[in-house]
Amino acid sequence: MNKGSKIATRFLLVWLLMFTLVTGMYGQQQRFPKPEFESGYAQPHTLTPEPRSTAMEWLDVAVLTAVMALSAWFVLCKRSRQGILWLSVFTLLYFGFYRDGCICAVGSLQNVALSFADPSYAISVTVLLFFLLPLIFSLFFGRVFCGAACPLGVIQDLIIVKPISMPSWLRKTLGLIPYIYLALALLFAATGSDFLVCRYDPFVGIFRMDAPFLMTILGVAFLLTGLFIGRPYCRFLCPYGVLLNWTSTVSKWHLTITPAHCIRCKLCTTSCPFDAIDRPTDPKVIKGSHDGAKRFLVYALLIPVWMAAGGFVGFKAHIRLSKANPDVYLAELLITHPEVKKDRDNIDVQTFLSSAKTMDQLVEEARGIRRKFKYGSTAAGAFIGLVIGMTLLNQVIFRRNEDYVPNNGACFSCGRCMDFCPVERKS
Amino acid sequence: MENDKIKSRREFIRGGARISLALAMGGIAGFAAAGISREKWVWQIDPFECTQCGRCATECVLTPSAVKCVHAFDLCGYCDLCGGYLKPNSNALSTAGENQLCPTSAISRKFIEEPYFEYIINENLCIGCGKCVKGCTSFGNGSLHLQIMHNLCVNCNQCAIARSCPSNAIRRVKASEAYLVKGDFTKD
Amino acid sequence: MTMNIENKLTLSRNVAVVSGIFCLAVSFLLLLNYWQVSRFDPLESKAMEVLVERLSENPDDDALKNDIRNMDLLARKAYFNSHWQIRTGSYLLLFGAVLFAFALRMYHSLKSKIEVPEPHGEDELQARLLSQKWILISGAAVLILALAGSHASVNHLTSFGTGKPGESLPVTKAEENIEVIEVGGEPVLQSGDSLLAADGSAADDSIGMLAGDDESPRSTTTPAGEMSLPATSGAETTVNFVFPEAGTLRAHYPAFRGAFGNGISAHKNVPVDFDGPSGKNILWKVNVPLAGNNSPVIWGDRLFLSGANAQKREIYCYDRYGGKLLWTASASDIPGSPPTSPKTTDDTGLAAPSVTTDGNCVYAIFGNGDLLAVDYNGKRMWARNLGMPDNHYGHSSSLLAWKNKLYVQYDTNKGRKLLALNVQTGEMLWETNRNVKISWASPIMANIGGKYQVILSADPLVAGYDAETGKQLWSASVLSGEVGSSPAFGEGLVFAANEYARLVAINPSGGQVVWEQDEYLPEVASPVVSGGLLFVATSYGVLACYDAKTGEKLWEHDGGTGYYSSPVVADGKLIIFDTEGKMQAFALAREKNLVSESALGVKVVTTPAFANNRMFVRTGNALWCIGSK
């Protein structure tokens, strides 16, 4: 038994012998003990700049609340599009460029999901508030968060130049995407695999002025699309928007196009860049849909079928989906391609091999994660099935509208339509 | 008359839905409250787990990375032959460019007294590549190690380096104890 | 001055066009910069590496040094410049984009008149039907695509653990690669009652029975290799485990520093007069395929050792009479074994721990954590990996087998443990966590008060563990530093030492320090105690003799360059090799009495093994057999 480099350092150690003999047993044992300086050397301190304080997090919560409250006031009482616009600019600067897009309500839903699935994950109060406050506001005042307090929303809102109206079939179909994204985001967050929403946030890179190449391209693509299609991310991707849509649909108060009563002048019809204005229902149309009742019945009965199909597909997909988890991926890689163990450049494999973790432990962990995926993915599939079924069913339900009214679920409360209404405010 | 009826019925349904959604949110809040923490959480590297793979320099959302090398002076041996400062088999024990290990020359070496030298990291130049850490850990006391600097870190909801860290060395720590500097905290 | 609409329209249009072009230009430059940096990272320059490589060949080339310095500076400039450019570029782009968006909005809001509302809008009913169609199609498409995408995915996790690990046993029968090196005479081939000793059950506790061994070497007509080569041909032999008694162990030489690792050989007539260079009394010398710093162990007619390099790890079985390599067992295809070997210092290497045997199997551990047992035909019984040891010099603690347990000291930077495995199956019986720092010492076994204990030496604890349960029975916090010397047991005391720390005698009944010394301290070599005397050999070449009971220094001998090889007591003498291969034999006496001095002529860092009339020394890639002709 030999210890080689000890020999190489012999001279240094011998020099320190006296010191070692005195304190050797009690001092922290190091290969090269810290010397005792004779020249009165003053040791510098290790620099550890403090993180942003918790108080500042509360400031963020306060700012968010204030912006939403102001936005609700501008939309419901003041009826001022100008106010919303300037509030948007403030949000873009504060939550966007100053706070670098993080902390954000959209991403917070993943923290909540993870804290539900993993009791050891601690969620901080401020993050929970960021998740809940916009929903609470939306339950009372509509999506005032989207209109002026969401940095992702306002950056798209501010660059709308010439919005084109999309046919309703396309909107409805693309409208399924956020539900699928929500289901996947929750699944990945709850299994502790990934925060998809944060990872593929197209705008956060712009706020930070620093992003990987592909994410920059994605962000610019969204913005360029946004010149002509109002808020593409909010309408066709945002998973948090799904929840806000639900709460806003039943909101207590909501933006109205007209301050008094609608005169059906149709002036507002082209004002909404998001096609979120419902037209008055034509009684003839409702009468015309004579097979509506039959369809309603069929679609309603189909819902369990959709859910079962979705659940089945979800169950089938759980193996593929769980491969996105790094641990599962590594375990399977080592099982199917044991030759990667010889690949010195594969950092993950090499680090695992030199760790104290055994293959058995890794595989056991991976199996645990896959088990979570099995249940999660089945539930996600059933949810997607339910959404498809409900969306279909919605297409044969007619709500009686007398006037031109905002679609409470889809309306972002940006207030553009208000300026188009020629009706004077009641004094 | 009929319209009013429809309206009030609709209002009633919406009210009911509103209350149930509010209850659902209350439920979420209540359930989440079980695992809630008053603390703010930030990301930090456990230097005892770190294997200096070099990903901190490339995976951080910031360029250059928010990960920098810090120096735990208490653990430093103040060696002349510093594995963190000098290239392996370096030409001479000097500050000359051909001998320095750091690609950006972020470590400055200062003579104190025979035969000791002090090593200080210039955080502005450091890119967090961990080359010096590897050198110091393999040949020295491991007093140089990587930490996430919180004046730079934007505290992403999920840290991109944590996800790609092969040794799971990055974890969330309380903001009140935001650093895991060697010597101040020990393993186990 | 007021602008009319027309002017504003023109202005905003022009601003939009100009800022748009500006944005495009900046984007293009940024893309160019990105492409350049991603193609060629100035900080990872290959040219630089080449220059540094050249400098290491010509360390005094000042022109080359200057070139490197200049290039280094340029690389850093290029790196920081490109970062500055990207940063500045993004700000410019942001500025341009804001201007562009603003101007465009302005232009469109000025231009747009109140649009004529659509007279009808789309046909509600028609639109709804279309929506239903598309939702149906895309909903079904999503599900079908997801199903198709996941159809072929296989759950590979289920296939893990079903295959039988280590079923193929690469046993290469040594044939042509054996090379008996002629050293000053004919290699002497012997056989005899050696096979008797190979069977643990046959050997009885009396050493005397074996004492007659080799006294009159008989030449045989059959080549030694064939004679002692057991039947290996395909037969599914299972080892009938018979656990030898302590006396049987002593009759052989089953571990590093002999039975129980105590450094005492019971063999007679140990040759102390030889000369390596001239071949005097060198019976044979053979090549060992792979180098290693482990010491040979002996059971009957077989001698075992191991060797390793970065790619291979092997156990060798030699016929100890003729020096023929009987078989080689390879430690390959062990589940969990890391693909690359750990970094070790040359002085330690990847095969520093000595193998051990109990008459049933040979057990070996290697620097990468591979631990395996092979039977006496070289057939693998079991193998496992203990996890790559995090050890900055390399794992070096030798193995010890007693009864049904194999003891492994696994003190690494990641965790300090004493492990006990079932010798028959390799199953982990217990592991005891040790509250110590990493160490390199080997375990010894001692019978204290009728109970067998495993004794380990580390920083700071010297401790005894119940050989049955692994429970720590006593400890003394006495050492510091990087402990490489194993403890020794004798006169009812446990002796432990480390360089720069101290030499202590501990009463194992309670862990009290009986005496301590710090004049001569060993670094690598382990102490040995016999006949009331304690011997300590330092790595700077002093052999010191102490009174084991009192700690009084009796004598010292400044013998040579340094001692890595541990002193061993054999045949009433203290035998020690220094690093230059010079052997010294001292009388076991309270006064210094150098009985004999012989030179092997090559570096020796391992500890010799003994049989009656024979001494075996491993030197890196060679195995020497010493004995009178």
Side-chain angles (χ1 to χ4, degrees):
Chain A
M1 131 79 226
N2 300 291
K3 296 176 290 168
S5 30
K6 234 179 131 171
I7 308 305
T9 59
R10 155 89 33 77
F11 296 106
L12 208 128
L13 282 170
V14 166
W15 206 88
L16 296 166
L17 190 55
M18 295 292 284
F19 170 70
T20 321
L21 274 178
V22 178
T23 59
M25 268 188 64
Y26 308 103
Q28 183 145 17
Q29 205 61 46
Q30 281 153 226
R31 258 179 260 180
F32 308 107
K34 187 177 148 190
E36 280 190 349
F37 297 104
E38 286 155 5
S39 56
Y41 161 73
Q43 177 182 305
H45 291 287
T46 308
L47 286 178
T48 50
E50 281 306 303
R52 202 167 174 271
S53 73
T54 314
M56 294 297 278
E57 303 286 302
W58 285 101
L59 177 72
D60 289 341
V61 175
V63 171
L64 177 76
T65 316
V67 169
M68 286 194 295
L70 264 176
S71 171
W73 181 68
F74 277 133
V75 161
L76 296 172
C77 309
K78 196 87 179 11
R79 296 183 58 78
S80 157
R81 166 67 192 155
Q82 279 293 309
I84 297 288
L85 195 65
W86 288 113
L87 218 46
S88 300
V89 172
F90 170 78
T91 295
L92 183 65
L93 293 177
Y94 184 82
F95 285 114
F97 288 100
Y98 170 63
R99 293 294 295 118
D100 291 324
C102 217
I103 186 171
C104 114
V106 183
S108 70
L109 65 89
Q110 301 165 111
N111 303 55
V112 174
L114 181 56
S115 79
F116 269 55
D118 178 3
S120 68
Y121 179 85
I123 182 172
S124 60
V125 190
T126 46
V127 172
L128 186 64
L129 284 175
F130 256 79
F131 172 74
L132 286 175
L133 282 174
L135 290 173
I136 293 168
F137 265 85
S138 143
L139 206 52
F140 288 96
F141 311 113
R143 296 170 73 166
V144 288
F145 169 74
C146 302
C150 175
L152 308 185
V154 299
I155 191 174
Q156 296 171 82
D157 202 291
L158 288 172
I159 54 145
I160 297 172
V161 170
K162 188 168 170 49
I164 45 176
S165 173
M166 293 172 85
S168 68
W169 65 267
L170 188 57
R171 274 187 285 130
K172 299 280 189 237
T173 313
L174 291 179
L176 290 175
I177 300 174
Y179 290 91
I180 299 173
Y181 195 26
L182 173 69
L184 288 177
L186 291 179
L187 175 66
F188 276 81
T191 54
S193 304
D194 202 353
F195 279 15
L196 286 184
V197 181
C198 297
R199 194 153 169 227
Y200 298 109
D201 181 339
F203 306 114
V204 76
I206 294 168
F207 297 143
R208 289 190 193 122
M209 308 278 291
D210 194 351
F213 184 66
L214 283 174
M215 289 313 292
T216 317
I217 297 290
L218 191 68
V220 170
F222 262 106
L223 289 184
L224 289 179
T225 315
L227 295 176
F228 309 106
I229 296 173
R231 295 194 180 222
Y233 183 82
C234 305
R235 289 158 77 196
F236 307 123
L237 216 55
C238 180
Y240 191 61
V242 169
L243 307 181
L244 288 168
N245 187 322
W246 293 343
T247 47
S248 177
T249 305
V250 295
S251 64
K252 181 115 176 104
W253 300 282
H254 193 278
L255 168 147
T256 54
I257 299 173
T258 172
H261 59 275
C262 180
I263 54 168
R264 305 202 189 178
C265 65
K266 298 183 179 178
L267 284 172
C268 60
T269 47
T270 52
S271 70
C272 184
F274 319 115
D275 301 307
I277 296 179
D278 285 344
R279 285 179 305 195
T281 35
D282 186 346
K284 267 186 283 174
V285 168
I286 298 176
K287 284 214 182 81
S289 65
H290 46 82
D291 61 343
K294 207 172 80 192
R295 275 184 187 247
F296 179 85
L297 201 66
V298 171
Y299 286 153
L301 288 176
L302 269 179
I303 288 178
V305 179
W306 278 111
M307 284 179 73
F312 174 73
V313 170
F315 175 75
K316 279 284 175 194
H318 85 271
I319 291 175
R320 170 61 42 98
L321 286 173
S322 62
K323 286 176 202 280
N325 182 289
D327 286 341
V328 176
Y329 178 80
L330 183 65
E332 290 209 328
L333 181 73
L334 285 166
I335 292 170
T336 53
H337 299 284
E339 70 273 8
V340 293
K341 292 181 186 170
K342 297 200 174 75
D343 181 2
R344 277 190 163 276
D345 296 330
N346 192 326
I347 295 174
D348 296 285
V349 171
Q350 293 307 323
T351 309
F352 162 69
L353 290 173
S354 58
S355 74
K357 203 166 166 186
T358 64
M359 192 67 196
D360 291 312
Q361 284 171 312
L362 178 72
V363 171
E364 206 33 62
E365 258 173 48
R367 282 182 184 149
I369 294 164
R370 181 153 282 169
R371 217 169 299 128
K372 283 188 191 168
F373 262 96
K374 191 163 80 189
Y375 300 119
S377 155
T378 309
F383 171 75
I384 292 170
L386 174 70
V387 166
I388 296 171
M390 289 298 287
T391 316
L392 264 180
L393 190 69
N394 250 325
Q395 291 312 298
V396 289
I397 295 174
F398 287 89
R399 275 189 202 83
R400 216 178 286 264
N401 278 337
E402 300 292 320
D403 308 323
Y404 284 89
V405 289
N407 181 315
N408 282 6
C411 171
F412 294 119
S413 297
C414 69
R416 281 186 177 83
C417 52
M418 299 185 302
D419 286 354
F420 284 76
C421 190
V423 179
E424 286 292 318
R425 213 170 176 175
K426 274 186 280 187
S427 50
Chain B
M1 198 56 209
E2 200 193 345
N3 269 354
D4 284 354
K5 229 184 211 169
I6 291 172
K7 257 186 190 160
S8 70
R9 196 176 65 202
R10 204 183 273 179
E11 229 3 88
F12 177 74
I13 293 172
R14 282 164 57 124
R18 192 157 55 233
I19 290 168
S20 41
L21 277 174
L23 284 176
M25 273 191 272
I28 290 174
F31 203 94
I36 214 161
S37 123
R38 294 173 147 276
E39 279 275 357
K40 180 188 169 178
W41 295 81
V42 292
W43 298 96
Q44 196 49 273
I45 302 173
D46 183 337
F48 292 106
E49 296 293 324
C50 173
T51 50
Q52 302 97 38
C53 65
R55 285 194 185 155
C56 283
T58 54
E59 300 295 315
C60 182
V61 296
L62 300 180
T63 357
S65 171
V67 174
K68 306 280 175 205
C69 179
V70 298
H71 196 181
F73 292 98
D74 278 336
L75 299 189
C76 184
Y78 291 83
C79 312
D80 186 5
L81 202 168
C82 173
Y85 183 77
L86 298 163
K87 283 199 176 103
N89 306 319
S90 65
N91 188 270
L93 307 183
S94 77
T95 57
E98 69 271 17
N99 302 325
Q100 284 192 34
L101 182 63
C102 180
T104 53
S105 194
I107 311 180
S108 61
R109 167 183 160 105
K110 199 176 86 188
F111 175 75
I112 305 172
E113 62 185 54
E114 202 58 50
Y116 302 123
F117 289 83
E118 176 193 79
Y119 299 91
I120 291 189
I121 315 283
N122 182 345
E123 311 285 355
N124 294 327
L125 296 181
C126 178
I127 55 169
C129 67
K131 284 187 174 132
C132 58
V133 179
K134 206 172 192 88
C136 180
T137 311
S138 319
F139 306 113
N141 291 345
S143 57
L144 293 173
H145 59 92
L146 294 175
Q147 288 284 281
I148 293 172
M149 302 310 274
H150 290 296
N151 54 341
L152 304 170
C153 175
V154 288
N155 201 17
C156 296
N157 204 3
Q158 196 195 30
C159 177
I161 330 172
R163 192 187 136 77
S164 59
C165 176
S167 54
N168 291 324
I170 303 182
R171 58 173 202 242
R172 297 193 320 151
V173 298
K174 290 180 176 166
S176 49
E177 296 146 16
Y179 289 88
L180 303 175
V181 174
K182 275 190 183 175
D184 294 348
F185 101 110
T186 42
K187 203 180 175 184
D188 305 328
Chain C
M1 200 182 98
T2 54
M3 275 176 125
N4 58 23
I5 294 275
E6 207 53 40
N7 285 347
K8 278 185 185 168
L9 206 59
T10 325
L11 179 71
S12 56
R13 195 189 60 208
N14 289 346
V15 170
V17 168
V18 171
S19 60
I21 292 173
F22 175 77
C23 283
L24 279 179
V26 175
S27 312
F28 177 73
L29 288 175
L30 278 174
L31 276 176
L32 204 67
N33 192 315
Y34 171 81
W35 177 71
Q36 215 167 23
V37 172
S38 64
R39 208 176 51 107
F40 171 72
D41 184 352
L43 295 185
E44 300 285 345
S45 152
K46 284 271 172 290
M48 185 77 175
E49 281 173 26
V50 172
L51 284 184
V52 172
E53 189 74 19
R54 261 173 52 196
L55 184 69
S56 67
E57 285 156 18
N58 311 304
D60 297 322
D61 190 338
D62 285 328
L64 192 57
K65 282 184 193 168
N66 256 332
D67 286 351
I68 294 177
R69 286 170 201 171
N70 290 335
M71 189 153 173
D72 190 47
L73 205 61
L74 273 179
R76 284 173 205 170
K77 260 192 190 152
Y79 175 82
F80 286 107
N81 260 342
S82 101
H83 274 282
W84 179 84
Q85 281 165 8
I86 289 178
R87 194 118 278 263
T88 318
S90 350
Y91 277 109
L92 287 175
L93 189 61
L94 182 72
F95 170 74
V98 168
L99 208 60
F100 178 69
F102 186 76
L104 218 55
R105 266 185 79 126
M106 190 70 120
Y107 177 72
H108 271 276
S109 64
L110 288 172
K111 209 177 138 194
S112 64
K113 301 159 207 106
I114 289 187
E115 287 173 54
V116 185
E118 5 139 57
H120 305 297
E122 51 186 356
D123 180 344
E124 178 83 29
L125 215 54
Q126 223 32 52
R128 283 184 172 234
L129 281 176
L130 204 58
S131 298
Q132 288 165 39
K133 189 177 118 193
W134 277 102
I135 291 166
L136 260 170
I137 291 174
S138 46
V142 165
L143 294 187
I144 289 168
L145 281 177
L147 197 61
S150 51
H151 173 68
S153 57
V154 185
N155 189 350
H156 295 293
L157 295 177
T158 52
S159 64
F160 178 77
T162 50
K164 287 183 203 116
E167 56 246 299
S168 64
L169 302 167
V171 177
T172 46
K173 240 188 273 173
E175 280 140 17
E176 278 71 49
N177 56 353
I178 170 166
E179 181 198 0
V180 176
I181 303 164
E182 303 272 331
V183 191
E186 288 274 308
V188 183
L189 307 175
Q190 296 117 351
S191 77
D193 45 359
S194 50
L195 280 173
L196 175 78
D199 184 356
S201 61
D204 78 10
D205 284 1
S206 104
I207 297 160
M209 180 192 155
L210 289 155
D213 230 12
D214 296 342
E215 262 175 0
S216 52
R218 288 158 290 180
S219 289
T220 56
T221 45
T222 35
E226 258 173 56
M227 184 66 190
S228 54
L229 190 69
T232 52
S233 50
E236 276 292 313
T237 49
T238 47
V239 177
N240 263 330
F241 274 81
V242 177
F243 302 119
E245 294 304 318
T248 314
L249 286 184
R250 276 188 214 109
H252 301 274
Y253 199 84
F256 172 61
R257 300 174 65 224
F260 292 167
N262 239 324
I264 295 173
S265 157
H267 300 88
K268 298 282 176 256
N269 209 6
V270 168
V272 289
D273 178 28
F274 58 90
D275 187 63
S278 72
K280 178 186 168 197
N281 281 341
I282 306 292
L283 297 180
W284 48 260
K285 178 191 168 199
V286 292
N287 263 347
V288 180
L290 296 179
N293 286 325
N294 60 82
S295 309
V297 306
I298 295 168
W299 192 275
D301 56 351
R302 291 172 182 82
L303 180 147
F304 305 98
L305 34 82
S306 69
N309 60 22
Q311 288 80 37
K312 289 192 289 186
R313 291 157 293 282
E314 292 176 338
I315 305 172
Y316 306 109
C317 173
Y318 287 88
D319 166 26
R320 81 164 172 86
Y321 293 96
K324 181 168 177 171
L325 178 60
L326 299 178
W327 48 257
T328 300
S330 169
S332 57
D333 302 314
I334 293 176
S337 179
T340 53
S341 295
K343 275 187 199 125
T344 57
T345 56
D346 289 343
D347 283 11
T348 308
L350 292 159
S354 301
V355 305
T356 191
T357 181
D358 56 2
N360 303 305
C361 283
V362 189
Y363 312 94
I365 187 169
F366 294 95
N368 65 349
D370 279 353
L371 176 65
L372 73 165
V374 297
D375 71 6
Y376 275 22
N377 300 324
K379 180 169 170 281
R380 187 185 295 181
M381 301 304 292
W382 53 263
R384 61 185 293 164
N385 186 280
L386 298 178
M388 175 103 91
D390 180 0
N391 189 318
H392 44 277
Y393 300 127
H395 184 70
S396 72
S397 178
S398 299
L399 299 174
L400 205 59
W402 174 236
K403 297 295 178 189
N404 68 332
K405 294 185 185 65
L406 176 69
Y407 300 96
V408 186
Q409 176 264 70
Y410 218 55
D411 292 351
T412 69
N413 284 320
K414 283 244 169 80
R416 277 68 57 196
K417 284 174 192 160
L418 172 63
L419 313 174
L421 295 92
N422 185 329
V423 288
Q424 305 187 38
T425 60
E427 167 205 3
M428 190 72 76
L429 295 175
W430 46 256
E431 44 179 276
T432 301
N433 283 314
R434 286 157 46 70
N435 192 15
V436 296
K437 301 218 163 73
I438 180 170
S439 79
W440 290 262
S442 300
I444 67 163
M445 176 76 74
N447 185 340
I448 296 170
K451 206 170 194 180
Y452 280 96
Q453 295 189 6
V454 179
I455 301 173
L456 283 172
S457 199
D459 167 12
L461 296 185
V462 177
Y465 300 86
D466 187 329
E468 269 307 305
T469 64
K471 193 172 155 274
Q472 182 177 308
L473 300 172
W474 58 269
S475 73
S477 181
V478 285
L479 295 185
S480 63
E482 300 189 318
V483 179
S485 301
S486 311
F489 175 74
E491 309 295 329
L493 297 173
V494 171
F495 302 91
N498 190 39
E499 199 170 36
Y500 309 129
R502 54 176 77 175
L503 162 68
V504 287
I506 303 162
N507 181 349
S509 57
Q512 306 87 354
V513 173
V514 177
W515 57 260
E516 67 171 86
Q517 278 281 356
D518 58 17
E519 190 176 356
Y520 294 110
L521 299 171
E523 186 202 4
V524 180
S526 307
V528 62
V529 55
S530 179
L533 303 173
L534 172 74
F535 298 92
V536 167
T538 71
S539 55
Y540 49 92
V542 174
L543 177 75
C545 175
Y546 292 90
D547 184 309
K549 285 253 192 289
T550 63
E552 179 199 350
K553 191 182 82 189
L554 300 173
W555 52 265
E556 64 191 69
H557 175 79
D558 196 347
T561 48
Y563 296 113
Y564 273 23
S565 174
S566 296
V568 181
V569 171
D571 200 12
K573 292 184 270 289
L574 179 95
I575 291 170
I576 188 163
F577 278 83
D578 72 10
T579 47
E580 285 184 347
K582 187 172 69 187
M583 185 223 70
Q584 292 152 331
F586 294 89
L588 290 181
R590 294 177 75 84
E591 298 81 32
K592 184 164 87 172
N593 178 7
L594 180 58
V595 179
S596 165
E597 219 173 16
S598 298
L600 203 58
V602 288
K603 185 180 178 188
V604 174
V605 295
T606 64
T607 303
F610 300 90
N612 287 334
N613 306 319
R614 297 285 182 274
M615 174 155 71
F616 299 91
V617 185
R618 196 247 180 98
T619 58
N621 260 62
L623 174 64
W624 305 65
C625 175
I626 300 161
S628 50
K629 286 177 187 166

